[in-house]
């Protein structure tokens, strides 16, 4: 397995993204950070290189992924903005292939379906709520999952319930068929994503993780 030194991060200026960047720094990784508005980003480190750009623009992704060994994203749909999930995924997969980058870890909600799911009634209800209230966003995220499936990249889609933006460290329930808990801290998500990036325990799978 290729050693990962430099990680391209998308969504690093967001709420979970901040925890992810801090944890990557703590673990000694170099980071290339794609940000639309670098002026709003507060974390400073010599390990960070900032690229100003948009995940919808493939040229930005090309600059951001140059010299990177892996990609992590916590990008989320912003209200009243163009759909981001499927187009960003298409761009990411295309540039990863072009540059020979193999490892991709992304964050998603428990509402994404995979053929391997055995969702409980509660998780199904949460999924149906998203489908009813945000049908277009939901469809776009599902389309992004299909693109992952069609690719030959070593991806892991980490699915989570409600995120608490806290430093709390809990024991985690990790399950490939259903989300077993109601919440998880951003701190635990960041740790799990980084560990998964290096260990690839869930290669081409979509584990649900939650606090016990
Ligand atoms: N919050 C929850 O409870 C929850 C629960 C389950 C799953 N999730 C999922 O977890 C992920 C992270 O959630 P979060 O609450 O931490 O998100 P967040 O704070 O809303 O951050 C989203 C990030 O995505 C970036 N982004 C959006 N469109 C972009 C684009 N076109 N190009 C580049 N960057 C773009 C935003 O950048 P800007 O700052 O430039 O807008 C921001 O940094 C999302 O995928 C979300 O759907 C969240």
């Amino acid at each position: 397995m290729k050693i990962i030194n430099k990680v391209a991060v998308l969504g690093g200026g967001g709420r979970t993204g901040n925890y992810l960047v801090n944890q990557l720094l703590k673990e000694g990784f170099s980071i290339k950070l794609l940000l639309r508005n670098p002026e709003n980003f507060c974390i400073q480190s010599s390990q960070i290189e900032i690229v100003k750009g948009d995940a919808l623009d493939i040229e930005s992704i090309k600059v951001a992924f140059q010299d990177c060994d892996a990609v992590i994203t916590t990008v989320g749909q912003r209200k009243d903005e163009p759909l981001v999930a499927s187009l960003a995924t298409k761009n990411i997969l295309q540039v990863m292939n072009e540059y020979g980058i193999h490892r991709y870890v992304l964050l998603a909600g428990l509402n994404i379906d995979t053929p391997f799911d055995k969702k409980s009634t509660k998780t199904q209800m949460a999924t149906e709520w998203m489908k009813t209230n945000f049908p277009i966003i939901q469809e776009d995220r599902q389309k992004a999952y299909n693109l992952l499936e069609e690719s030959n990249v070593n991806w892991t889609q980490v699915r989570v319930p409600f995120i608490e933006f806290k430093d709390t460290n809990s024991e985690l329930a990790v399950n490939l068929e259903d989300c077993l808990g109601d919440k998880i801290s951003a701190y635990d998500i960041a740790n799990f994503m980084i560990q998964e990036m290096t260990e690839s325990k869930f290669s081409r799978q979509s584990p649900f993780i939650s606090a016990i």
Side-chain angles (χ1 to χ4, degrees):
M1 198 184 297
K2 191 174 187 295
I3 291 179
I4 296 169
N5 293 310
K6 193 178 277 190
V7 184
V9 176
L10 281 71
R15 292 171 298 176
T16 313
N18 267 231
Y19 284 83
L20 178 69
V21 168
N22 278 324
Q23 196 57 31
L24 282 165
L25 292 174
K26 214 159 129 192
E27 296 191 26
F29 291 98
S30 297
I31 303 174
K32 276 185 91 178
L33 205 50
L34 181 75
L35 296 173
R36 297 191 294 184
N37 302 297
E39 61 281 6
N40 298 337
F41 188 72
C42 298
I43 304 171
Q44 291 192 342
S45 164
S46 58
Q47 289 159 250
I48 297 179
E49 186 184 334
I50 291 177
V51 174
K52 183 176 164 65
D54 193 308
L56 299 176
D57 166 33
I58 195 156
E59 296 307 319
S60 300
I61 304 263
K62 283 183 183 171
V63 178
F65 288 12
Q66 190 92 51
D67 301 324
C68 289
D69 308 303
V71 176
I72 303 192
T73 90
T74 56
V75 165
Q77 182 66 47
R78 292 287 197 203
K79 199 167 175 280
D80 300 327
E81 288 198 2
L83 290 172
V84 68
S86 63
L87 183 50
T89 303
K90 182 171 172 275
N91 289 341
I92 289 165
L93 293 171
Q94 187 177 322
V95 177
M96 286 181 73
N97 270 330
E98 203 174 301
Y99 288 178
I101 304 171
H102 299 294
R103 193 69 183 115
Y104 178 34
V105 181
L106 68 148
L107 186 60
L110 54 75
N111 48 292
I112 305 305
D113 290 326
T114 81
F116 312 101
D117 292 346
K118 292 190 181 126
K119 287 182 173 179
S120 65
T121 306
K122 196 172 169 188
T123 312
Q124 277 177 28
M125 278 170 69
T127 303
E128 286 309 317
W129 187 88
M130 263 308 284
K131 286 182 183 171
T132 304
N133 291 285
F134 299 98
I136 295 168
I137 295 173
Q138 169 79 12
E139 200 181 307
D140 186 55
R141 290 223 63 150
Q142 200 62 49
K143 201 166 144 192
Y145 171 71
N146 296 340
L147 292 173
L148 295 176
E149 282 272 52
E150 287 161 14
S151 78
N152 51 15
V153 159
N154 175 11
W155 54 267
T156 301
Q157 176 177 250
V158 178
R159 291 184 286 177
V160 296
F162 178 76
I163 302 172
E164 293 189 311
F165 299 99
K166 289 182 179 173
D167 276 321
T168 324
N169 182 207
S170 303
E171 199 182 329
L172 295 187
V174 182
N175 193 287
L176 285 168
E177 298 180 339
D178 187 26
C179 189
L180 303 181
D182 297 328
K183 60 185 181 183
I184 185 160
S185 74
Y187 178 81
D188 281 336
I189 292 175
N191 279 333
F192 183 88
M193 290 182 89
I194 296 168
Q195 192 176 352
E196 179 53 27
M197 174 184 75
T198 55
E199 294 180 359
S200 284
K201 276 192 190 164
F202 297 97
S203 178
R204 298 182 64 82
Q205 292 180 308
S206 302
F208 294 96
I209 61 168
S210 56
I212 288 177

